[in-house]
Amino acid sequence: MTSLMQAAETTSWNGIGTSARRPDGLLKVTGRFSYSSDLWVEGAVFAVTVRSPHAAARIVSVDVSRALALPGVRAVLTHEDVPGAKTYGMKLADQPVLAVDQVRYHGEPVALVAADDPQTARRAADLVHVEYAPYEPVTDPEAALLPGARPVLGSDNLVRHVKIRHGDLVAARELAEVVVSGDYEVGMQDQAFLGPESGLAIPSEDGGVELYVSSQWLHKDLEQLAPCLGLPPDKVRLTLAGVGGAFGGREDLSVQAHACMLALRLGRPVRMVYSREESFFGHVHRHPARMHFEHGATRDGKLVYVRARLLLDGGAYTSTSPVVIANACYFAAGAYEVPHAQIDGLAVYTNNPPCGAMRGFGAVQSAYGVESNLDRLARELAMDPLELRMRNAMRTGTVLPTGQEVDGPAPVRELLASLQERPLPAEATGERDLRTLPGGVANTTHGEGLRRGIGYAVGVKAIGYSGGVDDVSTACVTLEVAGGRPVVSVHTAAAECGQGVTTVQAQIAGTELGVTRVVVVPADTRVGDAGSASASRMTWMSSGAVQGACRLVARDVLARAARVSGRPATVLALVHDGVVDSLTGDRVCSIVDLLGDDRIEHVHEYHHRPTQGIDPETGQGDAHIAFAFAAHRAVVEVDVELGLVKVVELATAQDVGKAMNPLAVEGQIEGGSAQGLGLALMEELVVDDSGRLRNPSFTDYLIPTMLDVPPMPISLFELPHPDSPYGLNGVGEPPTLSSTPAIVNAVRAATGLDLPRAPVRPEHLTGTMPAGNRAATPAALPAVTPPPGTAPGGQPTRARH
Amino acid sequence: MRVTTTVNGETRHADDVSESESLLYLLRERLGLPGSKNACEQGECGSCTVYLDGVPACSCLVAAGQAEGSDVVTVEGLAPGRDLDPVQEAFVECGAVQCGFCTPGFVVSAHDLLARCPNPGDDEIREALAGNLCRCTGYEKILDAVRCAAGRMPSERSTV
């Protein structure tokens, strides 16, 4: 059945470092690429999910009889029909495949309906009668931790408390001449990928199942899925169908178990495609955060200490919350040298929608906090915020709050300097084009009440899995002759989510084997684990695997060429579909002549260097393999009367180690920056006090359009990373960290307002609503008495022009 | 009901179409043309944009029955007799495609823009394509692609 998915093929040589075209590009621009929502086979039925309308309720009864009676309905399943384990999860198997006796969040799956067509399935879903006994949901993450709070799951509502203790905070507070603190909040952001969760499950003759699905990690899906189906892993075979974006939202299971259990029950293929509304309920979101930051510094602007408390709302199930909160804490000191740190991070259970992985993975929230408080500190010191950042910039050799020394390039100062040197966009004069003004074509302003502001931010994040987790990526590379030409096939389970890992794989195979024609076959679980398309790791890890497998193939080819030619293999190289003597430049033979009907195949498993877990009491440990840095400068115009913001320019400076494909690297930076813009100014899932999600649609959950996004110039640094294939570094997440605080800092600079909360809403700017700040009492920390003159709030800052 | 439309130059029939079906559903589920994408079903994202009697429309907002007798061109039919339309070519070349789910809609919208306005300025491009959402690219490379395609369009283009 692999014919359902297309292989991606390149037929022109494009080595690493070139902006090679995407091998799937032609299919995508002509509408012929097979996304997971496009798959269809004869006899397939369509399935939908029945979801809870309550955030917290006991299930009294489920009556499926009316749904089953509808003509065209093939099955209605509940938790009793789950063939194996009733729960699954990324870190803890605590999320029910279908709710058993209670529901813990609005939108939790309760039953499944399969019917001959989508309309019938949806009508039948409405006929499934579930009687609920709702109870008071836990929706305030701070209150969830109070003694006596009802446990959402398990014995208490604490998912994890991460503690980092570095240096001597008591002594540091004596040294600090200036102390500023602030409470900051980040709203719940959605990945809002455009391709809805979807898949096709086909029962196989051996009693197993084939699943074609959009995913970020096929093998992790398999690990969670097989036990729920009561099948051995070798009877559950997953193939990656076309993925319409991911950004973390496809790490957890969505349709996987549901489609497979229906296919096994019915003995028929089953399609599932979420609607947009269901998609908002069908994946985890970015954790909303409430944060308290306190920075101590000397009068001349050297950071002495940081003290932070981060509270992340994990929602109803564990998902990846234990590692998201760890990642938030690891980087809560920002990209700075901070000798003393006390960081507490708490992730909690509530009856709000479950939260988990989203691009940046906790570091987005802490970067917002630390970068916001840095600007507050700059105001207090009457120092240029950029100068304050430069003065404290992390560098190679800086010791992190976790005690690890930063190795590899850490060009924080250089990134910031490159932004500073970039000319500012000209201020418009005379009659303005509406499209360039806040409010834009809505014709809300003609330029009255406009103020310009500039803001900077910088971020740091670890690349790859941290904290002692073994990170593995596998590739199988085959060289053979087809149609009179050598062809390399690259087979991995790496998830191509749009980021371009397929392109890079083809580029590496072409580079390593000197072959023009490269086929990247569809990713599936017939080959070893590739790990996830997350942690900005996929290009690094997959490159290591493909490079390693290619080098094993090349070794065999060159040994063969050495035997045939009598020249030592060490002087031979693979170039232009043949073997050349690298000393003389002679072409020794063609790969076609050398291989004949033989095929050479090798599998390589790549691991990055080992890491350590952190100490549970002090947070100390060498937890990371690498660090990546990006910085932003935002220029905004704010209509202070109407509370509207136009981002005029959003410039990024980022070190990428080696730009394997410069066009694709720029695309990652621009896309990540735009998502950060969304979080700064418009994107938030609104959950009401009853735990209900109020805006699950693209009408009500706004993501930036082409009119919202400004020109985004990039300063690309390529400082080779010492440990990685080709010197590359992870690219995808860093721009998402600093984009949001740079924009909000620019709005603060334009308005003089505190703006503790992202996204910034019009009412926060016009003063018609008090900044949306429900700042948490930092209950887990001793009370802080700020030194005189450091009351939060600062003075209004004039917009710099 | 039976619906008869001309799709990408061919006369197509579909039987047993219900009143609540959209043109998008008709194309994807009944006529075997999944190129137009379903990403919001509310006309917010533009991923399902097709030409309906020469005018771009969100096919999710058009009832299938309304398309009776009309002429529909989808992303699959944008370059009849050729490999690629210049807009499609530019999208691949300029890096305007990442996950590609928005691409069919963008390609049709950009094709229409350039048919109406062969040399648009950036502000015109942004306004014309503001009805199409992209979550991957940040739009910079899409702008590049439209600028690039504008330079390559045949001087007298036949409108669809």
Side-chain angles (χ1 to χ4, degrees):
Chain A
M1 297 302 295
T2 47
S3 61
L4 274 175
M5 295 311 307
Q6 307 110 327
E9 184 169 343
T10 59
T11 52
S12 58
W13 191 86
N14 284 290
I16 62 164
T18 69
S19 288
R21 291 186 180 200
R22 299 184 65 94
D24 57 15
L26 188 69
L27 294 169
K28 285 179 172 176
V29 295
T30 53
R32 290 183 284 130
F33 185 76
S34 293
Y35 293 91
S36 52
S37 52
D38 297 336
L39 305 178
W40 184 88
V41 288
E42 194 63 44
V45 296
F46 192 92
V48 300
T49 327
V50 178
R51 291 175 181 271
S52 166
H54 305 287
R58 195 165 54 78
I59 297 175
V60 178
S61 64
V62 181
D63 178 3
V64 303
S65 57
R66 286 177 65 213
L68 269 175
L70 194 70
V73 171
R74 301 293 162 184
V76 183
L77 306 188
T78 67
H79 70 93
E80 290 172 358
D81 303 298
V82 177
K86 303 286 185 189
T87 56
Y88 68 90
M90 291 289 291
K91 296 288 168 190
L92 282 178
D94 62 8
Q95 185 149 5
V97 176
L98 291 169
V100 178
D101 51 5
Q102 58 178 314
V103 288
R104 297 183 179 88
Y105 72 95
H106 177 208
E108 179 158 2
V110 176
L112 302 167
V113 178
D116 291 344
D117 62 83
Q119 277 187 12
T120 307
R122 293 201 176 99
R123 283 211 336 261
D126 290 341
L127 296 175
V128 174
H129 182 73
V130 185
E131 189 184 339
Y132 296 96
Y135 51 84
E136 188 70 22
V138 177
T139 57
D140 183 323
E142 199 71 59
L145 289 173
L146 295 175
R150 188 179 51 74
V152 172
L153 188 70
S155 55
D156 64 44
N157 289 325
L158 183 65
V159 179
R160 185 177 179 188
H161 179 178
V162 175
K163 299 175 202 169
I164 296 177
R165 305 283 180 264
H166 191 70
D168 181 345
L169 204 77
V170 175
R173 294 179 111 178
E174 294 292 318
L175 289 172
E177 296 164 314
V178 179
V179 174
V180 296
S181 61
D183 294 307
Y184 304 98
E185 265 196 55
V186 174
M188 186 187 289
Q189 190 180 21
D190 192 76
Q191 297 83 355
F193 43 71
L194 285 196
E197 292 87 344
S198 41
L200 171 66
I202 304 172
S204 30
E205 286 178 1
D206 66 354
V209 63
E210 300 271 345
L211 176 65
Y212 297 83
V213 71
S214 42
S215 167
Q216 284 176 248
W217 190 358
L218 290 174
H219 283 78
K220 190 72 182 180
D221 285 2
L222 173 62
E223 179 191 312
Q224 297 172 83
L225 178 59
C228 296
L229 299 176
L231 288 172
D234 62 337
K235 288 208 171 174
V236 183
R237 290 163 288 262
L238 278 71
T239 301
L240 189 73
V243 180
F247 317 117
R250 295 190 211 271
E251 278 195 28
D252 297 66
L253 297 185
S254 59
V255 301
Q256 285 88 333
H258 296 162
C260 288
M261 59 187 271
L262 279 164
L264 290 166
R265 168 66 77 98
L266 291 170
R268 293 177 69 164
V270 173
R271 293 169 68 204
M272 290 189 84
V273 181
Y274 286 178
S275 67
R276 177 54 48 189
E277 181 181 9
E278 184 167 16
S279 176
F280 277 106
F281 291 106
H283 59 256
V284 298
H285 315 290
R286 189 189 297 291
H287 291 75
R290 297 184 192 177
M291 301 176 287
H292 181 79
F293 276 82
E294 176 186 308
H295 280 97
T298 59
R299 267 279 156 223
D300 62 354
K302 275 302 277 181
L303 291 175
V304 178
Y305 75 89
V306 63
R307 193 161 159 274
R309 178 182 187 265
L310 317 173
L311 178 65
L312 299 191
D313 184 350
Y317 295 102
T318 305
S319 182
T320 48
S321 286
V323 274
V324 173
I325 186 63
N327 208 50
C329 291
Y330 292 150
F331 301 104
Y336 305 108
E337 208 158 85
V338 190
H340 307 276
Q342 177 184 312
I343 297 158
D344 288 271
L346 301 106
V348 302
Y349 296 112
T350 65
N351 291 112
N352 293 325
C355 290
M358 183 177 171
R359 195 176 196 169
F361 207 70
V364 163
Q365 292 91 323
S366 53
Y368 180 74
V370 69
E371 289 301 286
S372 297
N373 213 45
L374 254 280
D375 263 35
R376 181 169 286 186
L377 176 61
R379 286 205 300 274
E380 186 59 33
L381 293 166
M383 182 181 278
D384 182 307
L386 182 64
E387 174 57 30
L388 177 64
R389 287 179 169 82
M390 305 267 259
R391 196 166 287 190
N392 293 285
M394 180 182 280
R395 64 192 81 199
T396 305
T398 293
V399 176
L400 295 167
T402 49
Q404 180 171 359
E405 196 174 295
V406 172
D407 60 350
V412 176
R413 183 187 303 266
E414 293 80 358
L415 295 175
L416 290 166
S418 80
L419 291 173
Q420 185 180 28
E421 286 157 17
R422 183 177 284 285
L424 284 164
E427 295 221 40
T429 49
E431 183 104 4
R432 297 279 300 270
D433 186 319
L434 276 182
R435 291 169 291 204
T436 67
L437 291 167
V441 289
N443 196 15
T444 48
T445 178
H446 290 195
E448 313 85 347
L450 275 196
R451 289 195 217 159
R452 182 173 274 218
I454 298 164
Y456 287 89
V458 59
V460 54
K461 187 188 178 294
I463 301 303
Y465 301 153
S466 296
V469 177
D470 184 25
D471 200 344
V472 187
S473 195
T474 315
C476 175
V477 171
T478 309
L479 179 63
E480 63 195 320
V481 177
R485 294 175 66 190
V487 183
V488 183
S489 301
V490 180
H491 186 192
T492 73
E496 169 61 71
C497 305
Q499 82 278 39
V501 68
T502 311
T503 322
V504 171
Q505 289 177 342
Q507 289 179 266
I508 291 171
T511 300
E512 295 290 334
L513 296 173
V515 170
T516 308
R517 190 164 165 221
V518 181
V519 176
V520 180
V521 304
D524 58 34
T525 52
R526 290 181 300 122
V527 67
D529 194 355
S532 57
S534 70
S536 302
R537 65 178 282 288
M538 190 50 102
T539 295
W540 176 320
M541 296 300 295
S542 192
S543 292
V546 174
Q547 181 194 50
C550 285
R551 287 186 177 176
L552 293 171
V553 170
R555 184 197 63 193
D556 285 6
V557 176
L558 295 178
R560 202 180 269 227
R563 279 200 302 278
V564 172
S565 67
R567 302 180 200 226
T570 48
V571 305
L572 299 178
L574 292 165
V575 180
H576 296 313
D577 294 348
V579 180
V580 298
D581 183 322
S582 52
L583 296 178
T584 63
D586 297 344
R587 188 170 168 93
V588 174
C589 59
S590 72
I591 291 176
V592 171
D593 292 340
L594 202 60
L595 252 61
D597 292 335
D598 294 350
R599 66 205 297 265
I600 298 177
E601 181 169 292
H602 279 287
V603 174
H604 181 69
E605 200 176 82
Y606 176 84
H607 298 252
H608 67 51
R609 79 179 186 206
T611 60
Q612 301 170 350
I614 55 167
D615 181 278
E617 290 307 316
T618 65
Q620 300 301 293
D622 287 352
H624 310 297
I625 61 156
F627 307 92
F629 301 87
H632 279 93
R633 183 188 72 191
V635 180
V636 303
E637 284 182 341
V638 184
D639 180 332
V640 294
E641 292 163 4
L642 294 171
L644 300 171
V645 179
K646 171 78 182 172
V647 183
V648 177
E649 185 193 80
L650 184 59
T652 315
Q654 185 169 338
D655 175 30
V656 301
K658 160 83 180 170
M660 297 292 281
N661 183 317
L663 203 60
V665 163
E666 288 169 13
Q668 285 298 300
I669 294 171
E670 290 154 0
S673 301
Q675 289 181 4
L677 183 152
L679 179 58
L681 298 175
M682 61 188 81
E683 290 186 36
E684 183 174 9
L685 284 172
V686 177
V687 181
D688 67 18
D689 290 342
S690 69
R692 287 191 180 86
L693 185 53
R694 299 307 300 267
N695 56 341
S697 75
F698 280 158
T699 306
D700 297 315
Y701 182 89
L702 301 182
I703 65 173
T705 71
M706 203 184 242
L707 278 171
D708 298 313
V709 173
M712 296 189 286
I714 297 169
S715 308
L716 208 59
F717 284 57
E718 292 189 75
L719 306 177
H721 199 281
D723 276 345
S724 68
Y726 310 106
L728 69 82
N729 204 352
V731 172
E733 292 171 293
T736 320
L737 271 56
S738 42
S739 165
T740 306
I743 292 167
V744 179
N745 279 339
V747 178
R748 289 170 178 138
T751 61
L753 295 170
D754 270 346
L755 304 175
R757 193 175 199 284
V760 175
R761 298 185 177 283
E763 55 268 33
H764 304 159
L765 294 169
T766 54
T768 48
M769 202 178 122
N773 188 8
R774 300 174 300 165
T777 311
L781 294 178
V784 180
T785 314
T790 59
Q795 300 93 29
T797 316
R798 238 166 16 91
R800 295 192 296 138
H801 293 283
Chain B
M1 66 182 148
R2 166 171 258 224
V3 175
T4 302
T5 53
T6 305
V7 182
N8 299 332
E10 281 181 43
T11 304
R12 304 288 301 266
H13 307 285
D15 289 315
D16 303 323
V17 174
S18 82
E19 293 78 359
S20 62
E21 274 176 38
S22 66
L23 172 59
L24 177 63
Y25 187 92
L26 181 81
L27 293 167
R28 289 178 54 83
E29 300 284 333
R30 297 189 182 272
L31 302 180
L33 291 167
S36 308
K37 297 302 172 209
N38 183 356
C40 79
E41 286 176 293
Q42 289 188 322
E44 293 289 353
C45 76
S47 305
C48 63
T49 306
V50 300
Y51 277 109
L52 181 64
D53 291 328
V55 178
C58 286
S59 57
C60 73
L61 294 183
V62 177
Q66 279 180 288
E68 170 67 30
S70 60
D71 184 51
V72 177
V73 177
T74 72
V75 69
E76 290 103 332
L78 216 52
R82 288 170 295 161
D83 284 346
L84 293 176
D85 181 87
V87 174
Q88 292 169 317
E89 177 73 24
F91 266 65
V92 181
E93 190 180 322
C94 297
V97 180
Q98 287 188 32
C99 92
F101 208 81
C102 70
T103 304
F106 263 106
V107 164
V108 173
S109 295
H111 188 274
D112 169 67
L113 167 66
L114 296 179
R116 291 185 284 110
C117 177
N119 290 298
D122 283 1
D123 290 336
E124 284 169 292
I125 299 173
R126 288 185 190 277
E127 185 174 356
L129 300 185
N132 293 78
L133 295 176
C134 171
R135 190 56 159 169
C136 298
T137 65
Y139 305 103
E140 288 282 83
K141 301 289 184 262
I142 295 175
L143 265 173
D144 286 347
V146 178
R147 294 182 194 120
C148 170
R152 287 185 190 163
M153 283 297 191
S155 53
E156 286 188 33
R157 298 186 65 252
S158 58
T159 48
V160 179

